Amino acid sequence: MKKLILAFSVLLLSAGCQSTADQTREEMRSKGYSNSYADGFADGCESGKQAGGSYFDEFQKDINRFNSEQEYAQGWSDAFRQCELKEEAELRQQRMAIEWQNMEDSHKDNIEHEALKGLENVDTSELKSLEKK
């Protein structure tokens, strides 16, 4: 159950941190990039995240603009691989966190097992005198 909660928490956390395409466009425009480049970058990033394994992003590419507007095509291409790699890294980090939790749980189980090892043959008859009557 703890593993399921951890996995769900990591998933929600990563989903909450992801930028929307509109936020990406505005951020690129505020940095002085043209509308065409910003649109291409936002679409390329959404597409890259989807290619990297995101369940929350969709492939976005305006083929007409990509073929006719150099800035849109450049923005799309610049963002695609960058966002794909970032998404893959985030998913890898989530898997590692889950595996780490699994290892900790397994280690704890082993310690408990070792601590109780051999106690099944211990004579506990003298402990009965400690029972409340």
Side-chain angles (χ1 to χ4, degrees):
M1 184 64 173
K2 283 194 316 186
K3 294 174 197 171
L4 182 62
I5 292 170
L6 175 66
F8 188 69
S9 298
V10 170
L11 186 63
L12 284 178
L13 181 61
S14 69
C17 295
Q18 293 179 355
S19 297
T20 66
D22 290 339
Q23 290 170 329
T24 302
R25 277 184 187 85
E26 291 306 314
E27 182 180 333
M28 296 304 291
R29 288 176 184 139
S30 73
K31 292 180 179 180
Y33 291 97
S34 70
N35 288 338
S36 185
Y37 183 91
D39 289 346
F41 194 93
D43 288 350
C45 192
E46 292 293 306
S47 300
K49 287 190 240 179
Q50 189 270 334
S54 172
Y55 295 110
F56 304 102
D57 298 286
E58 295 179 1
F59 187 84
Q60 302 282 331
K61 188 176 195 180
D62 186 327
I63 297 297
N64 292 330
R65 290 182 76 186
F66 189 86
N67 290 332
S68 64
E69 293 178 35
Q70 176 61 34
E71 287 188 12
Y72 178 89
Q74 187 64 53
W76 194 96
S77 298
D78 288 349
F80 181 83
R81 186 72 175 138
Q82 175 184 334
C83 292
E84 179 184 32
L85 291 173
K86 183 178 177 188
E87 185 68 28
E88 288 172 349
E90 289 174 0
L91 292 173
R92 187 171 38 255
Q93 191 172 22
Q94 292 170 11
R95 286 191 306 271
M96 288 173 56
I98 292 168
E99 285 301 315
W100 182 260
Q101 185 64 48
N102 289 341
M103 285 179 18
E104 285 184 347
D105 291 347
S106 177
H107 182 67
K108 187 171 81 172
D109 291 344
N110 289 340
I111 290 172
E112 291 170 356
H113 178 72
E114 287 297 317
L116 297 174
K117 193 183 225 180
L119 292 179
E120 62 272 359
N121 297 325
V122 173
D123 180 13
T124 59
S125 61
E126 291 186 21
L127 295 176
K128 295 204 185 280
S129 65
L130 298 176
E131 286 182 357
K132 290 186 177 181
K133 296 182 181 181

